[in-house]
Every structure is written in structure tokens, then in C-alpha cells.
Amino acid sequence: MQAYEFINSLIPPLKLSDRAGKALAWMEEIRIDALPVTDQGRFLGFISDEVIFELNEPDQLIGAIRLKGGACWVYSDKHIYDVLRVASENQSNLVAVIDRENAYLGVITMEDAISAFADSLSIKSQGSVLILSLNMTDYHLSEISRLVESENTKILSSFITNDPLDDSKIKLTLKLDKPELRHVKATLERFGYRVIDHYQEETGVGSEEDRIGNLLRFLDI
């Protein structure tokens, strides 16, 4: 799941010689609030409709307008996780993609990145999500998997993030293949694992958007 696979070909880059009015027209046409700016094949940053509206000079050259997000990019061979991290760090809905020679290749939208991330965590599959808080030294996925499987349940995917409530701990997100997780939760707690949150999906309920929403509810991105 490398970044270049998710480049959105419908979002064009602006040149420094383009005018603000053209940028707004493109944004309106593709329904987006920012566009990438490049110069001789190099990514420079993003220009937002907010900045252009504040300027209120449609004939102003893009090269004379303040850009943002010059550091909001990833290399094309980076994982989709890195795209989400960079987007979060820069509070941006777009992330530029460049190759190892620093040539601009395109951009990825947060919507596309989140959808791909949801796929990687099997979030579209029927089942449930369980969140554990634990010390990194106590993290042994093989042991946790053994306990889960003792309840005739399998781990479809797992993901680690920092625990925002305790810097010394991590949050382990587990996607399970069974909607019913009461027995799994009880078994993990019996062996000393702290369950801090869970989501139990009812059979036949929930669209793809619902499941992605539930994913975001558990992840700090």
C-alpha cells in the first residue's frame, strides 16, 4: 500500500504563473478548498481558497501569494500510514507525493487515504473492534492472539498508536472477525489486559461510511 497507488489524478497542480482567479475556478470545478503549486516539477506547497478570498485579487499571480504546507508531502514509496501521519501533522486534507529525486507526482486526499487505511485494517469486514491500553514491554501479539483464538475468534488486523492519556503506554486496536466480543473481552481482562474501548457491530447493520467513521473514532489521526 504505497503512497503512489492512491494519487488522485483529478487534482491538477498550479504553476507560479497562474492567476488566483484560475485557481478558484479549478477549486470550484473539482469541489476542493486547496490546490498544489509546483515549479519546474518541484512541489512548493498548497494554496487555499480562503487565502485567495481574503486577497480578493483574481488577477494576482500564484507566485505572489503565500503558500502553506510546504512540508506536507511523502515519498512515493511510503506506506499509506505515513500519508495519514503527515496530513495530521500539517492539518491538511491533501498530501503531496514526490519521488526520490524530489519530482512532484501528484496528491492524495484524506478521503482516499482514510478509505485505503480502512481497507488495510479490514474495517469493511463484519466483526468488532477492541482497544487495549498496555505497556510496550507487555505487547506480545502472539500471546494476545492465542487468548483471542481460545474464544473461537480471530484477529483480522491490528494497529498500534500512542495512548494520549498516558505517554508510557500504547493503544492496541484489534479488528476481530466476530461481532460478539463479550467472551474475548472477559478473557483478556482475566489475564491482566486493560480494555479501554470497544465497538460491536450488529449483523447486517452499517454502511462502509459507518465503519470508516467508527475507525476514526478509535484512532488519533
Side-chain angles (χ1 to χ4, degrees):
M1 297 184 70
Q2 295 181 323
Y4 73 87
E5 300 175 50
F6 305 99
I7 290 175
N8 191 316
S9 60
L10 299 179
I11 301 176
L14 292 161
K15 303 186 296 293
L16 295 178
S17 57
D18 288 329
R19 300 187 183 277
K22 178 180 181 179
L24 282 180
W26 281 8
M27 290 180 198
E28 182 177 355
E29 182 178 350
I30 60 180
R31 298 183 179 180
I32 201 167
D33 60 5
L35 284 172
V37 179
T38 63
D39 182 41
Q40 297 183 346
R42 296 292 189 265
F43 172 68
L44 301 180
F46 296 103
I47 186 167
S48 68
D49 57 1
E50 181 181 4
V51 169
I52 296 176
F53 283 130
E54 289 178 355
L55 184 64
N56 196 26
E57 293 183 22
D59 290 329
Q60 181 69 271
L61 295 177
I62 299 298
I65 301 175
R66 173 174 51 88
L67 304 180
K68 65 176 184 178
C72 190
W73 57 267
V74 296
Y75 285 121
S76 59
D77 55 359
K78 287 295 186 178
H79 197 276
I80 198 67
Y81 294 169
D82 292 291
V83 175
L84 290 168
R85 175 184 55 79
V86 169
S88 177
E89 290 173 352
N90 289 272
Q91 298 182 341
S92 175
N93 290 323
L94 295 175
V95 175
V97 180
I98 65 175
D99 64 20
R100 289 291 174 173
E101 284 71 48
N102 295 320
Y104 173 81
L105 301 178
V107 294
I108 300 174
T109 68
M110 271 293 284
E111 182 180 0
D112 290 340
I114 290 170
S115 180
F117 188 58
D119 286 343
S120 76
L121 288 184
S122 303
I123 202 67
K124 295 178 184 178
S125 303
Q126 197 77 26
S128 55
V129 176
L130 200 63
I131 314 295
L132 308 179
S133 176
L134 65 162
N135 293 318
M136 189 63 184
T137 53
D138 296 329
Y139 170 61
H140 302 287
L141 188 58
S142 58
E143 173 64 14
I144 295 170
S145 180
R146 183 185 68 80
L147 294 175
V148 171
E149 290 179 2
S150 72
E151 298 296 339
N152 297 315
T153 303
K154 293 187 180 298
I155 297 174
L156 297 178
S157 62
S158 63
F159 184 73
I160 294 176
T161 56
N162 293 325
D163 189 335
L165 302 179
D166 189 338
D167 292 339
S168 67
K169 296 184 181 297
I170 60 170
K171 286 200 310 182
L172 174 63
T173 301
L174 301 175
K175 176 62 190 256
L176 309 180
D177 70 338
K178 301 288 180 62
E180 171 58 51
L181 50 70
R182 178 179 52 183
H183 296 300
V184 171
K185 182 174 179 289
T187 296
L188 289 171
E189 290 177 336
R190 187 167 68 250
F191 281 84
Y193 290 98
R194 180 175 169 237
V195 178
I196 60 174
D197 210 343
H198 65 276
Y199 165 65
Q200 187 168 320
E201 186 177 82
E202 297 179 9
T203 303
V205 176
S207 65
E208 177 177 336
E209 290 78 10
D210 294 332
R211 291 166 186 162
I212 291 175
N214 283 304
L215 168 71
L216 296 178
R217 186 163 67 90
F218 292 123
L219 300 179
D220 302 314
I221 58 176

